[in-house]
Amino acid sequence: MIVLYKNGLKLVQSYENNYINMENQFKFFIVDDDVFCANTYKQYLKNLNYNDITYYSNGNDCLNNLSQKPDIIFLDHNMDDITGFEVLKKIKRHNPNIYVVMISGQENIVTAVDALKYGAFDYVVKDANVGEKMIQVIDKIIRVKEHLRKSNPSLIQKLLWIF
């Protein structure tokens, strides 16, 4: 990762040579009953200069704190109290604009397809490359948000266009 400054803004080069404006920070939730995995994910995000990261060891705590308005949730598929699919469905009912990334130790294609069907933005398999996959997913989210911003002008821009 390369850090550079352009016009006074701190930029970070991502793996796909896109530059991320670090002033557009995301609020992350990490939901995983495996503390070791959760701390690993948190460290990956901190290494990318993301600081607004909240960890929950179960799905119910995550659901009870959606009022904090997370942008991205990394959600474990297999938890004890409530399944990742149940949590995913409730998150999407609460706010369909939250980017939920399902993380699982299962490489089962049916599980991945179901996660996407229920509204997950992406599905990541827990393996030795999970950190790189998280970075790629965040890059994808940044590109999607940028595309939406460009193709969906704000109300003010629409009003200015009329006049």
Side-chain angles (χ1 to χ4, degrees):
M1 178 171 47
I2 299 170
V3 178
L4 46 105
Y5 293 84
K6 182 176 180 182
N7 298 330
L9 297 177
K10 184 177 179 183
L11 303 173
V12 176
Q13 184 177 6
S14 68
Y15 284 103
E16 296 181 6
N17 290 325
N18 294 323
Y19 287 93
I20 303 166
N21 181 344
M22 292 310 293
E23 291 187 357
N24 294 327
Q25 283 283 310
F26 292 117
K27 179 173 189 60
F28 291 94
F29 279 8
I30 298 172
V31 186
D32 197 324
D33 56 0
D34 183 334
V35 177
F36 177 79
C37 286
N39 284 331
T40 302
Y41 307 152
K42 187 174 184 177
Q43 192 57 53
Y44 288 141
L45 295 172
K46 284 186 174 278
N47 289 345
L48 294 170
N49 294 320
Y50 291 111
N51 297 308
D52 197 349
I53 307 162
T54 306
Y55 164 65
Y56 298 104
S57 61
N58 63 71
N60 285 319
D61 287 348
C62 169
L63 294 170
N64 291 334
N65 286 285
L66 289 175
S67 60
Q68 293 183 27
K69 300 181 179 178
D71 300 299
I72 301 172
I73 300 176
F74 287 102
L75 176 64
D76 184 27
H77 168 261
N78 192 19
M79 294 183 288
D80 292 334
D81 68 329
I82 182 172
T83 69
F85 284 150
E86 293 174 57
V87 176
L88 172 62
K89 291 177 194 175
K90 290 179 180 184
I91 290 169
K92 288 303 186 174
R93 277 195 298 263
H94 176 80
N95 182 350
N97 296 318
I98 296 173
Y99 295 93
V100 181
V101 180
M102 187 72 72
I103 299 181
S104 177
Q106 300 181 19
E107 292 187 46
N108 184 334
I109 191 72
V110 173
T111 304
V113 169
D114 284 345
L116 299 173
K117 180 173 74 176
Y118 294 133
F121 180 78
D122 209 338
Y123 183 88
V124 173
V125 176
K126 288 183 185 179
D127 62 13
N129 299 319
V130 71
E132 291 176 26
K133 292 175 185 175
M134 289 174 68
I135 292 167
Q136 291 169 356
V137 170
I138 293 168
D139 279 346
K140 221 185 310 184
I141 291 170
I142 290 168
R143 287 193 312 271
V144 166
K145 287 179 72 82
E146 182 66 19
H147 178 73
L148 289 172
R149 187 185 64 76
K150 287 179 180 176
S151 65
N152 235 351
S154 70
L155 178 61
I156 293 171
Q157 289 172 325
K158 289 178 184 177
L159 288 173
L160 289 175
W161 183 77
I162 292 172
F163 298 105

